[in-house]
């Protein structure tokens, strides 16, 4: 059995089978519902069911509270239809033209830029354009069928090349990338995924990244530069030590050449050898210190899920940020 899902305000319709989540069915038909982790842990896919009934399946009560369920909200990456539905998903029209595809990519270069981060550039087939919005991510499919997700760190270009920033976390794939990956190795990819992308408004923006959460932020910066942006951007990048801000000088130089960008690096554990007179502590705490009111802003946060969750909570509760203007990609 399948059910029809009416997407508002676009009026588009897709079908969902009983054993599919709403997100799976939408993506299969080329509709980009809002999502990030696709595992029910980040809350990005939370949306309103306007009519009909859903099974919340294994949705965590800490991510989707009982009060939110009672109000009609659901995690679209976990919820399954029990009837025909009408849902509110305005992002569908914004991401029109982006379709998920599988492709092969060959490693073009590997730059081990720090003691635990490698910048990997992948060459895609020239006959297969890979369209994506800056801020989205793709998955590498391993031989055993498992997957790893990495955000694109540049805007789509004529070279049809992707750039990933991969931290060696000690996992099987990240360790392989850092220690053994060779140029010309062929990888299988699928994507793009995610709805972390720039919204077309006139609001000033705050970018906040931790660790390799800088990768999609870098893509957003490049997009803004290409568009001759005039919207003010305050960027904060947090790491334990200076070496964790592995492209710090790149951002410093970029800010010098683009007067709409203000850059504040933040270190939580300054190393003995670092000469540092900049901001210290947790990166989102620095934003709280610098802004008394975020009600007129958009915030784009990427990186450690604890940082993302804390920023969302504190910015909305303490600084008046509209939660609809908080956009995130948590590296869960």
């Amino acid at each position: 059995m399948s059910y029809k899902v009416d997407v508002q305000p676009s009026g588009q319709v897709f079908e969902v089978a009983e054993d599919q989540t709403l997100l799976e069915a939408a993506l299969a038909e080329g509709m980009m519902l809002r999502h990030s982790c696709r595992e029910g842990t980040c809350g990005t896919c939370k949306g309103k069911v306007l009519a009909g009934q859903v099974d919340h399946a294994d949705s965590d009560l800490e991510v989707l509270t009982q009060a939110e369920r009672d109000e009609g909200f659901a995690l679209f990456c976990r919820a399954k239809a029990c009837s025909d539905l009408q849902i509110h998903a305005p992002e569908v029209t914004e991401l029109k033209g982006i379709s998920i595809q599988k492709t092969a990519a060959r490693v073009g270069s590997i730059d081990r830029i720090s003691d635990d981060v490698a910048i990997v550039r992948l060459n895609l087939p020239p006959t297969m354009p890979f369209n994506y919005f800056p801020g989205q991510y793709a998955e590498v499919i391993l031989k055993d069928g498992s997957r790893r997700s990495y955000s694109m760190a540049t805007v789509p270009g004529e070279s049809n090349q992707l750039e990933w920033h991969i931290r060696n976390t000690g996992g099987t794939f990240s360790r392989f990338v850092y220690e053994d990956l060779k140029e010309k190795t062929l990888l299988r990819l699928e994507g793009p995924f995610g709805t972390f992308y720039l919204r077309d408004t006139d609001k000033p923006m705050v970018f906040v990244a931790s660790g390799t959460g800088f990768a999609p932020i870098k893509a957003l910066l490049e997009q803004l530069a290409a568009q001759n942006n005039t919207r003010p951007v305050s960027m904060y990048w947090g790491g334990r030590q200076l070496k964790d801000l592995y492209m710090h000088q790149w951002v410093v130089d970029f800010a010098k050449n683009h007067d709409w960008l203000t850059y504040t690096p933040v270190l939580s554990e300054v190393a003995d050898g670092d000469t540092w007179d900049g901001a210290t502590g947790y990166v989102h705490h620095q934003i709280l210190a610098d802004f008394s009111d975020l009600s007129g802003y958009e915030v784009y946060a990427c990186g450690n899920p604890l940082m993302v969750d804390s920023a969302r909570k504190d910015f909305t509760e303490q600084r008046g940020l509209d939660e609809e203007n908080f956009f995130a990609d948590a590296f869960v």
Side-chain angles (χ1 to χ4, degrees), residues 121-126 128 130 132 154-163:
R121 295 176 180 86
L122 303 169
N123 297 322
L124 297 164
M128 181 180 288
F130 189 83
Y132 64 90
T154 57
V155 297
E158 294 180 358
S159 62
N160 215 24
Q161 186 180 78
L162 303 183
E163 179 180 304

Side-chain angles (χ1 to χ4, degrees), residues 201-208 231-236 283-301 307-327:
T201 73
D202 59 0
K203 291 182 172 65
M205 296 174 283
V206 175
F207 290 175
V208 52
R231 296 166 63 187
V233 178
S234 300
M235 177 187 160
Y236 293 76
V283 64
H284 91 281
H285 286 175
Q286 186 61 44
I287 297 171
L288 291 173
D290 290 348
F291 290 84
S292 60
D293 184 4
L294 288 169
S295 59
Y297 285 78
E298 290 177 346
V299 173
Y300 295 81
M307 180 277 289
V308 171
D309 289 344
S310 297
R312 186 197 312 270
K313 181 177 184 294
D314 291 348
F315 295 170
T316 55
E317 293 181 0
Q318 299 181 31
R319 294 296 183 268
L321 179 71
D322 184 341
E323 190 165 359
E324 290 295 314
N325 291 327
F326 184 91
F327 309 105

Side-chain angles (χ1 to χ4, degrees), residues 17 31 47 101 145 166 179 183 189-190 192 202 212 254 278 321:
M31 295 187 197
Q101 57 187 300
I166 301 177
E179 296 177 356
E183 291 183 7
L189 311 182
E190 184 174 17
D202 59 0
T212 50
F254 188 95
L321 179 71

Side-chain angles (χ1 to χ4, degrees), residues 12 23-33 35 38 91-103 124 128-133 136-139 152 156 160 162 189-195:
Q12 293 174 269
L23 179 61
E24 287 171 342
L27 294 179
E29 295 202 24
M31 295 187 197
M32 283 279 182
L33 297 185
H35 68 281
R38 296 190 295 151
E91 66 278 356
V92 166
T93 53
E94 292 179 307
L95 287 167
K96 189 175 182 180
I98 300 296
S99 60
I100 297 169
Q101 57 187 300
K102 289 185 178 179
T103 185
L124 297 164
M128 181 180 288
F130 189 83
N131 296 321
Y132 64 90
F133 276 41
Q136 290 189 291
Y137 68 89
E139 295 181 336
M152 275 71 80
N160 215 24
L162 303 183
L189 311 182
E190 184 174 17
F193 296 105
T195 48

Side-chain angles (χ1 to χ4, degrees), residues 135 151-153 165 167 196 205-221 233-242 244-248 250-251 261-268 276 279 281-287 291 298-312 315 326-331:
S151 299
M152 275 71 80
H165 297 180
R167 183 178 296 281
F196 185 72
M205 296 174 283
V206 175
F207 290 175
V208 52
S210 64
T212 50
F214 168 69
I217 294 294
K218 176 175 176 284
L220 299 188
L221 291 174
V233 178
S234 300
M235 177 187 160
Y236 293 76
W237 188 6
R240 291 183 300 111
Q241 300 173 357
L242 184 57
D244 296 319
L245 309 185
Y246 52 90
M247 292 188 71
H248 170 67
W250 184 95
V251 187
L261 177 65
T262 302
Y263 171 47
T264 304
V266 184
L267 302 184
S268 60
W276 186 254
Y282 293 122
V283 64
H284 91 281
H285 286 175
Q286 186 61 44
I287 297 171
F291 290 84
E298 290 177 346
V299 173
Y300 295 81
C302 191
N304 182 289
L306 180 60
M307 180 277 289
V308 171
D309 289 344
S310 297
R312 186 197 312 270
F315 295 170
F326 184 91
F327 309 105
D329 186 6
F331 286 10

Side-chain angles (χ1 to χ4, degrees), residues 141-158:
I141 306 171
L142 308 185
K143 290 181 179 180
D144 64 0
S146 61
R147 296 165 177 249
R148 302 293 185 272
S149 303
Y150 298 102
S151 299
M152 275 71 80
T154 57
V155 297
E158 294 180 358

